[in-house]
Amino acid sequence: MPDIQIHNQLLAKHNLKITAPRLSVLAVLNSREMATSQPNLEQLLGKQIDRVTLYRTLATFEEKGIIHKVMGANGTSNYALCSTACTQHQHHDQHVHFNCTQCLNVYCLDKLEIPQLQIPDGFTTNKIDLMVSGVCNNCNLVG
Ligand SMILES: [Zn+2]
Ligand SMILES: [Zn+2]
Ligand SMILES: [Zn+2]
């Protein structure tokens, strides 16, 4: 199935109107192997979307469980598509994130699940983040 069709279905599934800006954001996020910051998205989308619409689109997508936010080492918010397990108000992105100290890109290591943690009695968990820092494969290739 072509990406555009998958994205149409994704929006419909979450009861979101299918609009050109929303589809553009999904297309860009889908085309990237790393999570993308808002300024970066602005650059990549160019005139396809204005800043306010982008801001609102990201907020809606995050709330609906379509994308998740990952904090970079330098404090920027980065956005990446969620797994299909995510629903409204409930994210299940229990994968490891990787922060490259050279290019500052943040990667979703989707296949690497966060191991089960023994949280002490009396504590309840809402969210677990696991961020690994180091040098990514692209930077390592460049040497
Ligand atoms: Zn999610
Ligand atoms: Zn890197
Ligand atoms: Zn992720």
Side-chain angles (χ1 to χ4, degrees):
M1 202 189 295
D3 285 344
I4 179 101
Q5 215 167 320
I6 294 172
H7 295 157
N8 277 326
Q9 283 183 3
L10 190 64
L11 291 174
K13 192 181 111 186
H14 291 92
N15 299 315
L16 291 172
K17 225 172 29 170
I18 294 161
T19 65
R22 282 175 177 163
L23 288 174
S24 310
V25 173
L26 287 177
V28 168
L29 288 178
N30 187 47
S31 71
R32 310 255 303 158
E33 57 169 319
M34 67 284 282
T36 314
S37 69
Q38 187 169 338
N40 227 328
L41 274 170
E42 275 175 35
Q43 259 177 20
L44 291 163
L45 286 159
K47 290 199 194 335
Q48 291 178 70
I49 188 168
D50 64 82
R51 184 172 287 187
V52 179
T53 311
L54 176 60
Y55 180 82
R56 282 207 209 110
T57 303
L58 292 174
T60 306
F61 281 179
E62 198 189 354
E63 191 193 301
K64 292 283 186 182
I66 295 174
I67 61 173
H68 59 280
K69 196 194 285 188
V70 197
M71 281 297 172
N74 50 358
T76 52
S77 304
N78 298 272
Y79 298 89
L81 291 177
C82 282
S83 66
T84 48
C86 292
T87 55
Q88 183 157 17
H89 304 303
Q90 192 67 54
H91 283 274
H92 300 278
D93 306 288
Q94 304 283 44
H95 53 256
V96 174
H97 288 114
F98 190 96
N99 210 317
C100 178
T101 52
Q102 282 187 25
C103 62
L104 301 181
N105 281 329
V106 180
Y107 297 82
C108 288
L109 302 184
D110 293 307
K111 297 206 170 51
L112 220 51
E113 260 184 59
I114 295 177
Q116 210 69 45
L117 298 178
Q118 284 304 122
I119 307 294
D121 287 344
F123 291 82
T124 47
T125 313
N126 294 326
K127 188 177 189 286
I128 301 175
D129 289 318
L130 182 57
M131 181 67 84
V132 179
S133 293
V135 181
C136 75
N137 53 353
N138 288 323
C139 291
N140 270 325
L141 271 181
V142 178

